[in-house]
Amino acid sequence: VPIPVPTISSDGTTATATANTTYGPADQTLYYTLDGTTPDPATSATYTTGVAVASGQVFKVVATKDDYTQSVPAFNTVATPEVTIAGGNATITCATPGATIRYVLGAEDGENPGQYLEPAAPTAWTTTGSTTYSAPVPIAEGQTIKVIADLPGYEPSHLASKTR
């Protein structure tokens, strides 16, 4: 009999897990990793209480109990950011509270003024190649913005992209 997937959450500094005992057995043992790999009961840490998470760490948890099949891993993904362009500005929102939003803009083509090159995807977890969003971003006609969001303890969001 498989064990139901545990419930997990993160506030960006501490990740927590709860065994699903409504549909599963009592006294489950939870194991976790912070590197995004699937926890292995033979080598992973046993979860007992909230775990500190830092930028770039992904909290994954499995539940086990003798005579049951281990649960599939539990992990959360940051919601894909939404980009709205109005009045020459891009406004970015993310439904995951506390997520850090990063973006890149396509650069103007030096050989064709007024034309914009497609930006590379933002680099997650670093400021190299991306900018942290804090206010509406001026965007030119024909320019593209690419956006991601992250929060410690979660998988990063999917990429969002919009062209003015």
Side-chain angles (χ1 to χ4, degrees):
V1 176
I3 296 176
V5 177
T7 302
I8 67 168
S9 66
S10 174
D11 64 5
T13 59
T14 303
T16 59
T18 305
N20 184 335
T21 56
T22 301
Y23 299 103
D27 301 325
Q28 299 171 30
T29 302
L30 303 179
Y31 296 93
Y32 73 94
T33 61
L34 292 173
D35 62 4
T37 61
T38 298
D40 177 351
T43 59
S44 298
T46 303
Y47 176 83
T48 56
T49 188
V51 175
V53 289
S55 182
Q57 291 184 317
V58 176
F59 181 64
K60 284 194 177 179
V61 176
V62 295
T64 65
K65 183 170 174 84
D66 290 344
D67 301 323
Y68 287 83
T69 303
Q70 176 179 302
S71 73
V72 297
F75 61 94
N76 287 333
T77 301
V78 174
T80 302
E82 295 286 331
V83 181
T84 306
I85 298 177
N89 288 309
T91 301
I92 309 165
T93 58
C94 181
T96 303
T100 299
I101 300 169
R102 299 191 190 282
Y103 70 92
V104 291
L105 286 169
E108 189 168 15
D109 184 341
E111 296 178 16
N112 299 298
Q115 301 294 311
Y116 290 86
L117 303 171
E118 181 75 11
T123 304
W125 328 135
T126 71
T127 56
T128 304
S130 66
T131 303
T132 301
Y133 177 80
S134 60
V137 178
I139 185 167
E141 188 67 40
Q143 193 171 30
T144 299
I145 186 168
K146 288 187 178 179
V147 181
I148 60 166
D150 71 306
L151 181 68
Y154 285 68
E155 290 278 351
S157 72
H158 294 285
L159 180 71
S161 180
K162 195 151 203 175
T163 301
R164 174 172 176 215

